[in-house]
Amino acid sequence: MASSDVARQPDKAVRPLGLDGHVGFDSLPDQLVNKSICQGFCFNILCIGETGIGKSTLMDTLFNTNFENFESSHFEPQVKLRAQTYDLQESNVRLRLTVVNTVGFGDQMNKQESYQPVVDYIDRQFESYLQEELKIKRSLHNYHDSRVHACLYFISPSGHSLKSLDLVTMKKLDSKVNIIPVIAKADTISKSELHKFKIKIMSELVSNGVQIYQFPLDDETVAKVNTTMNGHLPFAVVGSTEEVSVGNKMVKARQYPWGVVQVENENHCDFVKLREMLICVNMEDLREQTHTRHYELYRRCKLEEMGFKDTDPECKPVSLQQTYEAKRQEFLVELQRREDEMRQMFVQRVKEKEGELKEAERDLQSRFEQLKRLHADEKASLEEKKRHLDDDQSSFSKRRAAAHLLQAQSLTVNGKKDKDRKNSGFM
Amino acid sequence: MERDRIAGSEVSLSHSNMSESAKVHHPGPPVKAEKTHGSDFSYVGIDAILEQMRRKAMKQGFEFNIMIVGQSGLGKSTLMNTLFKSKVSRKSVQPSPEERIPKTIEIKSVSHDVEEKGVRMKLTVIDTPGFGDQINNENCWQPIMKFINDQYEAYLQEEININRKKRIPDSRVHCCIYFIPPTGHCLRPLDVEFMRRLSKVVNIVPVIAKADTLTLEERDDFKQTIREELRANGIDVYPQKEFDEDAEDRIINDKIREMIPFAVVGSDQEYQVNGKRILGRKTKWGTIEVENIAHCEFAYLRDLLIRTHMQNIKDITGSIHYETYRVRRLNESNGHFTSLPAVEPKTNGLPAEQPAALQANGVAAQHGALSHEM
């Protein structure tokens, strides 16, 4: 899969031709470099490691600046990623560096899902590049490439072996990003322990099938140094931004009561090796691997997932466009079907509701009738009672009238009798 | 956010100017980290990426595809051979007159691997015998246009593949040299028509062929006329004004634009002049030195094409002409799905500006919708 395979395969139609004089296209690499200087470079590093293991300090030391860092607490409920972008410049080279740090990695009680935010972040960067690449009107040359080019995995200097969290995380990431494992805080391990530790780590990685980034060996100029460095993996690093005077120079170091650990002293730690490999020798290769291997893999998987294929069942090449159109038709048909379904459901619901309402209306109607009848009954009985009462009343008044009459009559009769007696008295 | 400059070693790469010897100076590989350790411990090594890029470029090699268009007998093949100092094109002098002029325009593409000072390049010269030679030359640009678009199409197909190659072979035409016959009057309708159509899809570099038939005054007048005609017809030849990146570029390119079209003379014969063996044409009245800028402008053409602007030519082809083609092509297939008027594939390669812009992200939006569905 080396890039040299495709680039210079002897083409049968192409004859080598000797030149009779100086033509001048040997300036092409310079033209290319000039263009890149104008455009600037882009590099993205992801640092994964437990809280307090020295990620930010190492970044500061590597790039010789003071990135704004916050000390994270140990009580993060979930692993988060914090990305910060900086513009650096050295002589005439402008670099846009993005440093992504994990926050809270390894702090949770349950670390099963710790790797997920990291994987999601990496995938998101690939996805946004893929989207840009698939656009109709695209500007890939101005696009700020945010894909992770290198992943520094910080191993805790226990001296024994890798933690299972380390293995699980690295296994999930090895097909997505170039992993460079480093042993952090290497000044806590003695030389002999370090040697055994490194061997143990590498053998564990191999036995678990974790593919870490190997420095490329295909270019003769750097093959030798890369081979040596491959043997020193993982790098045992110490980071420090403080300066201590050693001899008559100020060097970056960590001062202990028992001595001074110099960061840039190759006998003390592998920091210089890391800087050399990561920046001075292989930065371009890291970028290229990310683009041609990891990104292509992501792209292939994503497109296949969406149903695109290069060849259809008869093994005839299918253009992306055809597949796309077919998918689009499918999508439209599906949309139509869903619409119809929804419409039907809606109509049904309406009918149901209507039925319900009618029921309720009928109910109410019958109740009303009932009440009316009750009312009429009541009224009738009341009328009856009233009539009775009236009858009683009238019969009572008749009797009274009759009684009065009788009384009056009897009075008159008595008066007449008296009158008669009176009258008879005279006679 | 801006950070301070980090002191480091100097790597100077000067951008050469047209009027000078056009050699790009390169002072050797930059000093490595260990060597500057004495006083400069703040060195990070970011500028070493330039060296890494250079190494990668040298290893991969380059590709360059150049097309030559012009009537037969204008010295196209000779010019190619002079430009690349080797027999890249076979001259068509030998065959008999009947065979020499093809009935239709052919497109002949020949590739060579050349190497200079460790830099390897695959040079492809695309010849177009038969152009402008028929009696009726209407639509003679069509086969050429089709060829150029076919190359774009091949690249596009490879690019949208799922399993695609690590490095897509670039067969796109980077530069088209158009040969203007040295009439001394003005451009012919054929020239105007061809350049007008093709300047939209490929970088055109017009040259006045066989310029040794013009005196210096005639040459200047002719060039002036040509420049005015190009301007009047809205033909944008390389270097195009709209693609100048910054002020520095504009200054350099303006100087070039003042000299276009280059009056060239080609030759692959060497003669002794003043004790040196140089390429030239020997006549009874003198020897015309090809690389002498007092005699003809071949050196300027060579510097432009090869020594200073080759990368730029390739970039413009890749990022502008190819992208234009891609936009048009991807919109074409979406054309009858949207409610906008369908983008008519015009044969002159002119992209329909407004509809394309309106539905610029049509595919992306639908794509996005699809990805939600799946």
Side-chain angles (χ1 to χ4, degrees):
Chain A
M1 283 265 267
S3 56
S4 56
D5 287 342
V6 178
R8 303 313 296 167
Q9 267 159 8
D11 212 335
K12 284 175 278 260
V14 184
R15 321 191 307 259
L17 196 64
L19 298 174
D20 294 333
H22 176 65
V23 177
F25 61 82
D26 55 341
S27 64
L28 260 180
D30 291 328
Q31 292 179 35
L32 190 61
V33 166
N34 276 343
K35 178 186 80 144
S36 304
I37 292 179
C38 291
Q39 271 182 338
F41 297 89
C42 195
F43 196 60
N44 308 315
I45 302 185
L46 169 65
C47 294
I48 308 184
E50 295 169 359
T51 316
I53 207 170
K55 307 185 284 287
S56 314
T57 315
L58 186 70
M59 284 297 111
D60 283 351
T61 325
L62 256 183
F63 290 102
N64 222 7
T65 49
N66 197 3
F67 299 129
E68 279 155 27
N69 299 310
F70 313 92
E71 265 182 28
S72 329
S73 85
H74 284 264
F75 294 94
E76 298 283 344
Q78 258 186 329
V79 176
K80 289 199 298 253
L81 284 117
R82 184 165 51 221
Q84 283 158 312
T85 309
Y86 307 95
D87 279 324
L88 305 174
Q89 181 161 8
E90 186 170 57
S91 57
N92 57 351
V93 176
R94 283 174 302 123
L95 180 73
R96 176 156 281 198
L97 176 75
T98 303
V99 178
V100 189
N101 276 320
T102 52
V103 173
F105 190 78
D107 276 337
Q108 292 80 30
M109 303 268 267
N110 182 358
K111 302 196 249 276
Q112 269 184 328
E113 293 300 307
S114 289
Y115 66 83
Q116 198 61 47
V118 183
V119 169
D120 288 343
Y121 177 82
I122 296 175
D123 278 345
R124 266 204 306 277
Q125 310 316 308
F126 282 149
E127 182 64 32
S128 72
Y129 190 88
L130 183 66
Q131 288 299 326
E132 182 65 31
E133 198 186 26
L134 289 175
K135 270 195 199 158
I136 295 192
K137 255 205 161 102
R138 60 190 191 180
S139 55
L140 277 178
H141 310 273
N142 296 334
Y143 179 74
H144 170 54
D145 188 2
S146 58
R147 300 173 292 183
V148 178
H149 298 127
C151 169
L152 289 179
Y153 195 93
F154 286 73
I155 299 170
S156 201
S158 63
H160 292 173
S161 63
L162 285 173
K163 300 196 184 137
S164 45
L165 173 67
D166 295 341
L167 278 171
V168 164
T169 313
M170 281 204 263
K171 195 82 178 74
K172 290 278 175 196
L173 294 176
D174 68 351
S175 57
K176 291 192 181 288
V177 74
N178 301 314
I179 301 185
I180 302 177
V182 293
I183 301 174
K185 299 198 168 171
D187 49 351
T188 54
I189 317 185
S190 72
K191 240 190 163 76
S192 51
E193 278 176 358
L194 186 64
H195 187 64
K196 280 191 280 197
F197 191 31
K198 281 193 186 183
I199 294 179
K200 189 84 194 342
I201 292 178
M202 291 309 277
S203 70
E204 275 195 347
L205 288 176
V206 164
S207 60
N208 280 286
V210 175
Q211 302 250 15
I212 58 170
Y213 176 71
Q214 293 291 323
F215 301 120
L217 303 172
D218 43 5
D219 189 348
E220 319 77 43
T221 7
V222 291
K224 212 158 71 87
V225 69
N226 276 347
T227 332
T228 333
M229 293 300 179
N230 271 331
H232 280 123
L233 279 173
F235 295 125
V237 293
V238 174
S240 168
T241 44
E242 285 161 9
E243 286 177 12
V244 172
S245 84
V246 168
N248 54 352
K249 285 190 300 179
M250 295 294 283
V251 294
K252 288 197 281 249
R254 284 176 66 77
Q255 177 140 57
Y256 291 106
W258 48 88
V260 175
V261 179
Q262 293 163 40
V263 167
E264 282 169 338
N265 184 335
E266 297 210 45
N267 290 328
H268 291 195
C269 73
D270 293 333
F271 173 80
V272 172
K273 295 195 180 78
L274 174 69
R275 184 176 62 194
E276 173 114 357
M277 284 293 106
L278 186 65
I279 303 175
C280 305
V281 177
N282 296 307
M283 196 192 259
E284 184 59 34
D285 185 68
L286 283 164
R287 282 161 27 124
E288 193 177 333
Q289 290 290 324
T290 309
H291 180 65
T292 54
R293 196 144 59 96
H294 301 297
Y295 170 70
E296 284 298 310
L297 184 66
Y298 174 83
R299 179 178 176 273
R300 207 177 313 143
C301 293
K302 197 74 203 294
L303 290 180
E304 270 171 11
E305 200 182 282
M306 298 207 309
F308 293 108
K309 283 191 286 286
D310 271 343
T311 62
D312 63 13
E314 294 104 49
C315 282
K316 280 197 308 208
V318 175
S319 83
L320 197 74
Q321 212 54 37
Q322 273 180 300
T323 323
Y324 181 77
E325 279 163 21
K327 287 252 168 284
R328 192 163 193 284
Q329 279 300 91
E330 219 176 279
F331 173 68
L332 286 175
V333 163
E334 173 80 15
L335 198 69
Q336 191 65 26
R337 193 181 62 80
R338 287 245 187 115
E339 209 179 302
D340 288 340
E341 210 175 280
M342 273 180 82
R343 194 166 300 140
Q344 266 183 347
M345 237 169 58
F346 181 69
V347 166
Q348 202 172 350
R349 294 268 275 301
V350 165
K351 277 213 188 97
E352 271 174 34
K353 203 65 178 191
E354 223 176 56
E356 264 172 46
L357 284 175
K358 279 216 171 85
E359 264 287 326
E361 202 181 324
R362 268 201 302 266
D363 236 358
L364 275 174
Q365 194 76 3
S366 67
R367 290 258 305 276
F368 179 65
E369 297 285 312
Q370 211 179 28
L371 278 175
K372 209 159 116 176
R373 253 179 303 164
L374 224 64
H375 175 79
D377 282 345
E378 282 281 320
K379 196 161 168 196
S381 69
L382 275 176
E383 293 271 307
E384 184 84 29
K385 284 210 176 117
K386 188 167 180 223
R387 239 181 320 126
H388 274 283
L389 195 67
D390 277 347
D391 283 347
D392 280 346
Q393 220 176 34
S394 66
S395 70
F396 175 71
S397 58
K398 262 197 225 151
R399 279 214 307 266
R400 197 168 65 157
H404 271 308
L405 202 61
L406 229 75
Q407 211 178 30
Q409 268 188 350
S410 74
L411 264 177
T412 331
V413 166
N414 284 344
K416 212 171 171 194
K417 261 187 187 167
D418 276 347
K419 234 181 184 182
D420 282 344
R421 238 173 318 117
K422 268 182 198 169
N423 286 345
S424 66
F426 288 136
M427 305 163 150
Chain B
M1 55 188 86
E2 287 300 315
R3 288 280 139 189
D4 305 326
R5 287 181 63 96
I6 308 172
S9 64
E10 300 304 317
V11 176
S12 60
L13 289 158
S14 56
H15 187 88
S16 66
N17 210 325
M18 279 295 291
S19 48
E20 271 119 9
S21 66
K23 271 202 162 2
V24 179
H25 300 287
H26 181 52
V31 185
K32 289 272 193 319
E34 292 88 324
K35 298 194 186 114
T36 58
H37 240 163
S39 54
D40 220 332
F41 61 86
S42 53
Y43 177 73
V44 177
I46 298 178
D47 54 359
I49 197 173
L50 298 178
E51 185 57 32
Q52 297 170 31
M53 279 203 77
R54 189 186 308 273
R55 258 191 293 121
K56 182 175 92 160
M58 302 272 281
K59 195 162 63 110
Q60 274 180 347
F62 297 88
E63 285 169 310
F64 193 62
N65 309 317
I66 187 168
M67 180 187 258
I68 44 181
V69 181
Q71 282 177 294
S72 53
L74 281 181
K76 304 193 291 288
S77 306
T78 315
L79 186 70
M80 281 299 110
N81 293 344
T82 321
L83 209 55
F84 292 104
K85 292 224 165 49
S86 57
K87 299 255 182 303
V88 288
S89 297
R90 263 184 333 119
K91 285 190 275 197
S92 53
V93 181
Q94 290 83 7
S96 61
E98 289 85 23
E99 290 169 21
R100 197 185 348 145
I101 298 179
K103 288 278 155 56
T104 54
I105 303 167
E106 292 169 358
I107 313 260
K108 285 209 260 215
S109 167
V110 181
S111 296
H112 299 276
D113 267 338
V114 288
E115 196 230 309
E116 191 174 55
K117 294 215 179 93
V119 178
R120 281 167 306 135
M121 184 163 81
K122 180 171 166 215
L123 175 69
T124 306
V125 177
I126 303 152
D127 202 352
T128 55
F131 177 82
D133 287 338
Q134 280 86 37
I135 295 183
N136 183 357
N137 284 313
E138 272 185 9
N139 300 334
C140 61
W141 52 80
Q142 265 173 0
I144 297 175
M145 187 85 118
K146 179 170 179 313
F147 178 80
I148 294 176
N149 283 335
D150 283 345
Q151 305 316 304
Y152 287 147
E153 183 64 31
Y155 194 88
L156 180 66
Q157 285 305 323
E158 188 56 43
E159 195 186 36
I160 59 180
N161 248 350
I162 304 220
N163 287 312
R164 50 190 193 185
K165 299 201 182 92
K166 226 176 178 112
R167 208 166 149 236
I168 304 176
D170 191 359
S171 61
R172 302 172 292 191
V173 177
H174 297 128
C175 174
C176 173
I177 304 190
Y178 186 77
F179 287 72
I180 301 172
T183 58
H185 292 174
C186 62
L187 290 174
R188 300 163 304 157
L190 172 66
D191 302 332
V192 172
E193 208 40 45
F194 180 86
M195 283 201 273
R196 195 164 59 83
R197 285 165 191 275
L198 255 72
S199 59
K200 305 224 163 54
V201 294
V202 73
N203 296 317
I204 293 201
V205 178
V207 296
I208 300 174
K210 298 202 165 169
D212 48 344
T213 58
L214 296 168
T215 64
L216 290 180
E217 294 85 21
E218 284 171 355
R219 183 207 290 179
D220 285 337
D221 285 341
F222 191 27
K223 286 216 256 183
Q224 185 90 336
T225 318
I226 292 179
R227 276 200 293 273
E228 271 165 23
E229 285 203 4
L230 289 178
R231 213 188 335 259
N233 282 290
I235 302 174
D236 232 350
V237 298
Y238 184 79
Q240 293 95 335
K241 242 196 168 69
E242 46 180 336
F243 305 139
D244 283 339
E245 281 179 27
D246 49 31
E248 206 183 288
D249 265 359
R250 199 163 307 130
I251 297 174
I252 297 174
N253 289 343
D254 275 343
K255 286 213 198 91
I256 299 172
R257 284 188 276 263
E258 287 301 301
M259 284 198 266
I260 281 181
F262 296 111
V264 295
V265 174
S267 164
D268 41 13
Q269 302 267 33
E270 283 190 343
Y271 295 99
Q272 281 277 105
V273 171
N274 291 341
K276 287 190 295 177
R277 287 195 69 77
I278 52 140
L279 288 171
R281 284 174 65 77
K282 192 160 185 186
T283 61
K284 289 246 160 55
W285 47 91
T287 306
I288 304 151
E289 296 164 41
V290 165
E291 293 192 18
N292 186 340
I293 51 175
H295 290 196
C296 76
E297 294 177 330
F298 170 81
Y300 292 130
L301 177 71
R302 180 203 50 210
D303 289 345
L304 177 73
L305 277 187
I306 301 177
R307 295 189 185 175
T308 56
H309 282 69
M310 193 186 254
Q311 187 59 42
N312 184 241
I313 289 176
K314 287 171 56 165
D315 288 340
I316 293 194
T317 308
S319 57
I320 295 173
H321 294 299
Y322 169 70
E323 290 294 319
T324 313
Y325 175 82
R326 184 175 172 274
V327 168
R328 186 167 60 89
R329 183 77 173 74
L330 292 182
N331 271 338
E332 255 172 41
S333 6
N334 282 349
H336 53 281
F337 281 138
T338 67
S339 55
L340 291 166
V343 176
E344 233 185 309
K346 301 190 174 72
T347 49
N348 63 358
L350 196 72
E353 243 79 65
Q354 270 73 9
L358 278 174
Q359 54 167 341
N361 280 313
V363 171
Q366 287 148 9
H367 217 72
L370 268 187
S371 64
H372 287 305
E373 280 300 313
M374 304 290 168

